[in-house]
Amino acid sequence: LMYGAIKGMLEATDDPFTFLLDEKLNEALSTEMSGRYGGVGLSISKQPDKGLMVVAPIEDGPGEKAGILPGDIITAIDGKSTKDMAVDTAANIMRGKEGTKVTLTIVRDGVPDSIEYPLTRALIEIKSVKYKMLDNTIGYIRITTFGDDTSKELDTALKDLKKNGMQKLILDLRNNPGGRLDTAINIVEEFLSDGKIVYTRGRTRNENQDYFASRKGDEWVNGDMLVLVNQYSASASEILAGALQDNNRARLLGETTFGKFSVQYVLPLDSRDNTSFKFTVAHYYTPNGRRLHGKGITPDYVVVEEKLSASDITALTELRKSGEISSYVKRYPNESSDASALPRFKEELKDKNILPSDYLLERLIYNERNLGNYNEIVDMRYDKQLKAAISYLETGKEPPQDKEEPRENWSNESEE
């Protein structure tokens, strides 16, 4: 009864980031930060107006392989509604032993009916930093999450890229849902030798903290850099992006970020059964005093990835579920075959009432050939934001500005 009362009291705060953590949830939270666990490989968050939203499928995880996309809304897990389900509760249900099954019901913009995804849990091993030289001078680093080993992995990446002649850097934070605050601060210190990183303000003095660069790290404090962000860059990603933008260390390119600028503490409730509760105590502010909870950071250069039409979203859903693209690439592994094979493939799809645009079909095939085995980490042909970043670093010319669709403040909080 006591736990039920506490759970109800926390839910009454109407804060999607405040909830009770039982023993299993506590263990799961610790395991996920280590970057190795059994599950379906989906980072999720909760928006008051939408519900449980997929922020980012983890590369090569069961969710991504099945075709689940950023922005998808999970309405049920194994038939149980997620309407009143806390984020960590949902995440814990999706985790489990390798080889076990779980079914997610998804609602996707542009698709009239809900989609069921039967998934088989697998071992999820998150490599949080991926990098390569894009040409002789431009290095590229993608950070997928802020976990226990991210700072060390980034330090290795920067040193290796510098050895290989890096003079300019693209830091990719797109689809990064966040993670540890201390990790984000350590990473900022690789790019800033001084200045404020972030500060927090809460209801009591204990929650008021100011964080400054302290001359540790400093692997890339002078070289040119550009940061890629999008609407699924959240939390720790936004701390890093905001610190670099406000300190004039780097320009941001892409789309307005997610807007999670709240601080949560986890406090023990009963040591006998390892229960605790997680609750919001403060908000983050960028160095220049911007509190952007529910709003997100607007990049210096707004470059919007091409949005799929409703018909293409439907076609994409069918292509992912059916495995048609993978099958085509296995039959025709070389691009030279497309001139004769692709028209026949389009007719085959048409007979199955799958009608993708040429752009979608060609991009999916290209990505399956080049990114499907994860030996390649970037899409140099179709990634509009990456291409704009490369052009900016090469020429110094600002990219043409796109117009973002208006986005409402998803937070139910009033401004302080």
Side-chain angles (χ1 to χ4, degrees), residues 188-207:
V188 173
E189 300 225 42
E190 297 283 10
F191 307 112
L192 281 181
S193 57
D194 54 43
K196 184 176 283 190
I197 294 174
V198 69
Y199 66 95
T200 64
R201 293 295 180 265
R203 294 184 178 88
T204 69
R205 287 185 179 180
N206 291 337
E207 280 88 50

Side-chain angles (χ1 to χ4, degrees), residues 14 25 99 115 122 124 128 164 198 204 230 246 280 294 344 364 386:
D14 202 23
L25 286 175
I115 312 162
I124 307 298
S128 59
N164 284 282
V198 69
T204 69
N230 66 5
D246 280 8
T280 299
R344 295 196 300 272
L364 289 173
L386 177 61

Side-chain angles (χ1 to χ4, degrees), residues 93-379:
I93 295 172
M94 289 189 288
R95 296 186 191 98
K97 189 177 180 181
E98 299 168 63
T100 58
K101 310 285 185 181
V102 62
T103 298
L104 305 185
T105 304
I106 296 288
V107 170
R108 178 174 295 163
D109 282 346
V111 178
D113 300 320
S114 60
I115 312 162
E116 287 207 345
Y117 284 96
L119 303 174
T120 301
R121 296 181 179 94
L123 178 63
I124 307 298
E125 295 186 274
I126 303 173
K127 184 171 176 56
S128 59
V129 175
K130 300 185 177 184
Y131 66 97
K132 68 172 293 182
M133 291 293 296
L134 299 181
D135 57 23
N136 291 331
T137 61
I138 298 177
Y140 170 89
I141 296 176
R142 180 161 79 244
I143 302 177
T144 61
T145 189
F146 292 81
D148 293 343
D149 298 325
T150 307
S151 297
K152 183 170 62 177
E153 291 177 14
L154 177 68
D155 189 66
T156 299
L158 286 168
K159 288 176 178 175
D160 195 22
L161 290 172
K162 286 164 66 177
K163 286 179 182 177
N164 284 282
M166 179 175 69
Q167 298 174 22
K168 302 175 183 181
L169 171 65
I170 295 172
L171 181 64
D172 193 346
L173 301 178
R174 293 175 296 176
N175 300 325
N176 182 326
R180 297 176 60 112
L181 170 62
D182 58 341
T183 298
I185 290 170
N186 288 338
I187 286 174
V188 173
E189 300 225 42
E190 297 283 10
F191 307 112
L192 281 181
S193 57
D194 54 43
K196 184 176 283 190
I197 294 174
V198 69
Y199 66 95
T200 64
R201 293 295 180 265
R203 294 184 178 88
T204 69
R205 287 185 179 180
N206 291 337
E207 280 88 50
N208 297 342
Q209 300 286 336
D210 295 72
Y211 300 90
F212 294 87
S214 58
R215 294 188 179 276
K216 65 179 182 180
D218 289 1
E219 278 295 329
W220 194 253
V221 294
N222 295 315
D224 290 346
M225 66 182 295
L226 196 68
V227 180
L228 297 179
V229 294
N230 66 5
Q231 60 184 311
Y232 304 113
S233 305
S235 190
S237 294
E238 294 172 296
I239 290 172
L240 172 54
L244 296 176
Q245 186 182 54
D246 280 8
N247 283 284
N248 296 315
R249 177 63 189 90
R251 300 289 180 91
L252 310 186
L253 185 150
E255 301 163 59
T256 299
T257 62
F258 184 81
K260 183 184 180 295
F261 277 76
S262 58
V263 185
Q264 283 75 43
Y265 284 175
V266 177
L267 292 181
L269 188 63
D270 191 333
S271 59
R272 293 171 298 180
D273 57 6
N274 194 24
T275 55
S276 59
F277 61 103
K278 186 177 182 181
F279 62 105
T280 299
V281 296
H283 286 94
Y284 295 116
Y285 292 78
T286 70
N288 288 347
R290 296 181 293 163
R291 177 192 153 190
L292 300 169
H293 193 63
K295 298 177 182 178
I297 300 173
T298 301
D300 301 281
Y301 305 123
V302 176
V303 178
V304 179
E305 281 290 346
E306 183 173 336
K307 298 295 187 285
L308 296 179
S309 66
S311 59
D312 263 354
I313 291 172
T314 300
L316 174 62
T317 303
E318 293 302 320
L319 287 168
R320 292 278 199 175
K321 290 190 72 175
S322 65
E324 293 282 358
I325 300 298
S326 176
S327 176
Y328 175 84
V329 170
K330 285 177 181 175
R331 281 185 288 162
Y332 306 104
N334 299 316
E335 192 171 347
S336 58
S337 304
D338 288 344
S340 58
L342 195 53
R344 295 196 300 272
F345 184 46
K346 290 177 184 177
E347 288 300 318
E348 292 173 14
L349 294 177
K350 187 176 180 180
D351 291 341
K352 298 174 183 178
N353 201 31
I354 301 176
L355 306 171
S357 65
D358 289 347
Y359 167 82
L360 174 63
L361 188 60
E362 289 166 12
R363 182 169 186 175
L364 289 173
I365 291 171
Y366 174 84
N367 285 343
E368 182 69 21
R369 284 193 179 120
N370 295 279
L371 306 180
N373 55 12
Y374 300 99
N375 290 328
E376 181 57 81
I377 63 171
V378 292
D379 178 352

Side-chain angles (χ1 to χ4, degrees), residues 1-13 20 269:
L1 286 175
M2 182 182 70
Y3 286 134
I6 293 171
K7 184 178 179 182
M9 183 172 61
L10 295 175
E11 289 174 352
T13 64
L20 185 69
L269 188 63

Side-chain angles (χ1 to χ4, degrees), residues 52-54 67-74 106-109 117:
L52 283 176
M53 186 182 76
V54 177
I68 295 176
L69 304 173
D72 283 349
I73 304 299
I74 302 173
I106 296 288
V107 170
R108 178 174 295 163
D109 282 346
Y117 284 96

